[in-house]
Amino acid sequence: MNYANIKDCDIADGPGVRVSLFVSGCRHHCKGCFNAETWDFNFGKPYTEETEEEILRLLEPDYIQGFTLLGGEPFEPENQVILVHLLKKIRERLPKKDIWCYTGYLYDVDLIEAGKVYTEVTKEMLSYIDVLVDGEFIEAEKDLSLEFRGSRNQRIVKREEFKLEK
Ligand code: SF4
């Protein structure tokens, strides 16, 4: 997996001050995407064990509320396999930090068993996520007044609301 950017002081993608990872690779190709260069899975830098340690270190200060995963598309199957390890480590080492994730896939359609991008690690990955912002960006539903999302169709789904069985 490649990644486009790590932000060490992100105040736009979830509550409080956060560390954010923008992964590379996205098959949605939404019209008006804010980050089209990340559609290419080869964009940016290779994600390595050092990258993972850097993220964990950046998350340590008390003023950092949590971690946000976005892209690109974190739930592309080839990205899930890598990211599940990172999320597990954050949960183990820094259990007080909250985890947000942005995805263009719909959690109750694409991320359930037999869904478009369901893999052997999807459930585990979701189990580490506190809040999922789901749905593609739809330019016609763009609304700058929305907090933490770009278009009205997108949903902010808390972990307790996940209904992942069919
Ligand atoms: S899912 Fe996100 S990164 Fe992918 S095309 Fe849509 S807006 Fe862009």
Side-chain angles (χ1 to χ4, degrees), residues 26 28-30 33-35 38-39 71-73 103-104 136-137:
C26 178
H28 298 286
H29 297 190
C30 307
C33 170
F34 70 111
N35 221 359
T38 64
W39 296 356
E73 174 54 76
T103 177
E136 292 186 348
F137 172 71

Side-chain angles (χ1 to χ4, degrees), residues 5-22 54-55 57-68 70 148:
N5 195 14
I6 295 171
K7 286 191 184 169
D8 60 4
C9 193
D10 184 351
I11 54 166
D13 300 305
V17 182
R18 316 183 66 77
V19 173
S20 305
L21 171 66
F22 293 73
E54 184 192 352
I55 291 168
R57 183 180 55 74
L58 290 171
L59 279 165
E60 279 173 7
D62 288 343
Y63 66 84
I64 299 290
Q65 176 166 335
F67 176 66
T68 299
L70 60 173
F148 305 138

